[in-house]
Amino acid sequence: MERPRITIFDTTLRDGEQSPGCSMNVQEKLRLAQQLDRLGVDVIEAGFPIASDGDFEAVQSIAASLRRPIIAGLARACTGDVDRAWQALQGAARPRIHVFLATSDIHLKYKLRITREKCLEQARDAVRHAKSLCPDVEFSPEDATRTDVAFLCQVVEAAIAAGATTVNIPDTVGYSMPEEYGNLIRTLREKVAGIDKATISTHCHNDLGLAVANSLAGVQAGARQVECAINGIGERAGNASLEEIVMAMRVRPDRYCYETAIAGEHLYPSSQMLAEITRVPVQPNKAIIGRNAFAHEAGIHQDGMLKNPLTYEIMTPQSVGVPDSRLVLGKHSGRHALALRCEQLGHQFERRELDEIYRRFVVLADRIKKVQDSHLLELIQDVASGNVSSSDVTGSKGKKFPPAAATLQFPRAVSAAAGANASDSHPAQVSGSAGQASVSIPFTDHHSEQEDYLWGV
Ligand code: KIV
Ligand code: ZN
């Protein structure tokens, strides 16, 4: 039997970026959008064009540079917002205008100060206007889970009649329980005329820690798009975490028999890149991509893991792109090994670039006890951005890197980037100090290619 396909709508660059400390500039957004493309998300919500010139520019440049995914721009339900979003999306191969309007009485009364009738009319008009510009229109009744259900059905029906092809049901304040959220989706499917003409979408916030559970309940009830964010970032406690949604479906097809187009091996590099760009570290015990997600310290666990990893791991680190940390970068490591680890972390280099990375790696390894993935990522970032002096000494985020001996630069040609943050490195070890190296050799000629075969576990 064919599995239903779930559209993954990534809102890291919009809802995620709105969360405290997570703002990104245009270049950073573009870099992350390129990684989201590699990850295989179906829709990238690139920003809220009316919010600022920077957001407009980010949506514009992402729309112009990515051809495969749908690029969505957010707009409030008014002409000015919709026009601005459409303007930003002009270069997109597959544009989507995402219109939203709050529908709960509490929002209507205190925030918008409008009646339900006015709300209905405004939603209908805004969707109709968006549809006159763009064939792909999504409508979100903000605070849907606290909206009177009969009124919610009425607004959703009007939005579909006006041309919305996706109706998103936000649990804006993370208030819903999984059963309740699933039932709400079921009710909409039963009661809204024309619902079959639209894709139902989930958008769940994590205020009670239930964003992923609610999204999955929504999918089980018939939603076919999930809105989510890398590392679960988003307003307040965040959005449903993309990596958790995807891996729940992949690890438990007996319960969640759905397909996504996500390339699992890009989950960890995407998470690392986001943490590096925002400098917001991932909590160590974060499911799927936290640095402890595949670490085993207790003796009984280590014993089990050595006998058979299935004893304590329900997925392999490789399936989510966590580098095989049994490979230790050490004094016998050569360029091939270094290149492999860089690749696992989302970076590919040409020969000349790798030489420079390698040269700095050796200098670094000579000076510190443990070279972790995060150090390597920071080193890559420093080299790629041409940092030659202070960053060689302290690292670009002030980490205490010892002084490097040389300061050569080369032009940038990093094809895929991942981030650097000491607290985000992922030593997914069974035992010992995997993901780390304890080295004390000077940078000398004996680090030649001949040494590459000495790379080992
Ligand atoms: O949480 C929310 O309601 C939103 C909407 C704009 C979709 O982010
Ligand atoms: Zn939201």
Side-chain angles (χ1 to χ4, degrees), residues 340-354:
L340 174 66
R341 177 57 62 90
C342 290
E343 230 177 284
Q344 289 170 331
L345 291 169
H347 294 264
Q348 277 180 325
F349 296 108
E350 289 162 4
R351 175 68 204 223
R352 202 158 56 93
E353 296 165 335
L354 185 66

Side-chain angles (χ1 to χ4, degrees), residues 348-400:
Q348 277 180 325
F349 296 108
E350 289 162 4
R351 175 68 204 223
R352 202 158 56 93
E353 296 165 335
L354 185 66
D355 282 350
E356 173 60 4
I357 300 283
Y358 181 68
R359 192 191 59 72
R360 291 205 192 195
F361 164 76
V362 171
V363 173
L364 177 63
D366 192 28
R367 284 167 169 76
I368 61 174
K369 275 236 177 306
K370 294 174 178 177
V371 179
Q372 302 197 25
D373 289 345
S374 57
H375 297 136
L376 186 55
L377 285 164
E378 187 149 355
L379 185 155
I380 290 167
Q381 223 29 59
D382 272 3
V383 172
S385 59
N387 284 346
V388 294
S389 50
S390 62
S391 64
D392 279 345
V393 176
T394 62
S396 60
K397 294 170 199 69
K399 292 189 192 101
K400 294 286 175 281

Side-chain angles (χ1 to χ4, degrees), residues 26-47:
V26 176
Q27 278 318 308
E28 290 167 338
K29 279 188 153 197
L30 182 59
R31 200 172 133 223
L32 193 61
Q34 285 160 347
Q35 176 62 23
L36 293 172
D37 188 16
R38 280 188 284 276
L39 179 63
V41 308
D42 301 289
V43 186
I44 295 176
E45 186 162 51

Side-chain angles (χ1 to χ4, degrees), residues 103-349:
T103 50
S104 66
D105 286 339
I106 199 161
H107 277 240
L108 296 188
K109 184 170 175 199
Y110 295 105
K111 188 181 83 173
L112 299 175
R113 300 200 171 120
I114 57 172
T115 60
R116 285 188 184 179
E117 290 68 37
K118 173 74 188 147
C119 170
L120 188 61
E121 184 191 318
Q122 199 176 323
R124 188 187 288 127
D125 289 351
V127 170
R128 198 174 284 146
H129 178 54
K131 191 72 175 184
S132 73
L133 304 171
C134 179
D136 187 345
V137 176
E138 172 169 331
F139 176 72
S140 291
E142 190 190 5
D143 205 18
T145 54
R146 293 192 302 169
T147 299
D148 173 75
V149 177
F151 181 60
L152 181 66
C153 290
Q154 228 184 326
V155 178
V156 168
E157 194 168 307
I160 294 170
T165 41
T166 302
V167 285
N168 181 42
I169 308 301
D171 184 24
T172 303
V173 289
Y175 179 70
S176 220
M177 295 287 141
E179 203 191 343
E180 199 181 8
Y181 190 75
N183 284 340
L184 181 60
I185 302 294
R186 262 180 223 105
T187 303
L188 289 165
R189 289 184 70 200
E190 277 162 25
K191 302 244 161 93
V192 171
I195 193 79
D196 292 341
K197 287 193 237 147
T199 300
I200 302 178
S201 169
T202 68
H203 179 109
C204 299
H205 279 268
N206 206 32
D207 300 66
L208 291 172
L210 292 167
V212 169
N214 285 339
S215 306
L216 291 171
V219 167
Q220 279 188 312
R224 290 294 173 263
Q225 174 177 285
V226 174
E227 302 198 355
C228 46
I230 302 290
N231 295 346
I233 66 167
E235 288 278 12
R236 304 178 313 280
N239 278 92
S241 142
L242 183 150
E243 52 279 2
E244 293 176 26
I245 300 270
V246 168
M247 291 315 289
M249 292 179 190
R250 225 156 256 186
V251 172
R252 295 302 305 272
D254 53 326
R255 292 262 157 185
Y256 303 103
C257 194
Y258 307 99
E259 246 359 301
T260 71
I262 296 298
E265 69 277 13
H266 282 294
L267 287 171
Y268 177 72
S270 304
S271 161
Q272 287 281 291
M273 184 188 287
L274 175 63
E276 178 242 324
I277 288 174
T278 59
R279 306 196 178 168
V280 174
V282 178
Q283 73 189 66
N285 60 326
K286 166 80 177 63
I288 318 294
I289 41 76
R291 74 163 186 268
N292 290 348
F294 295 95
H296 304 274
E297 190 163 332
I300 292 171
H301 288 214
Q302 290 181 348
D303 180 53
M305 282 296 296
L306 290 169
K307 286 171 177 155
N308 185 340
L310 285 175
T311 52
Y312 287 104
E313 273 180 3
I314 59 170
M315 65 195 110
T316 64
Q318 293 79 10
S319 67
V320 298
V322 170
D324 184 349
S325 298
R326 285 168 303 165
L327 300 178
V328 178
L329 283 176
K331 65 180 179 181
H332 296 302
S333 308
R335 285 174 180 74
H336 289 161
L338 188 66
L340 174 66
R341 177 57 62 90
C342 290
E343 230 177 284
Q344 289 170 331
L345 291 169
H347 294 264
Q348 277 180 325
F349 296 108

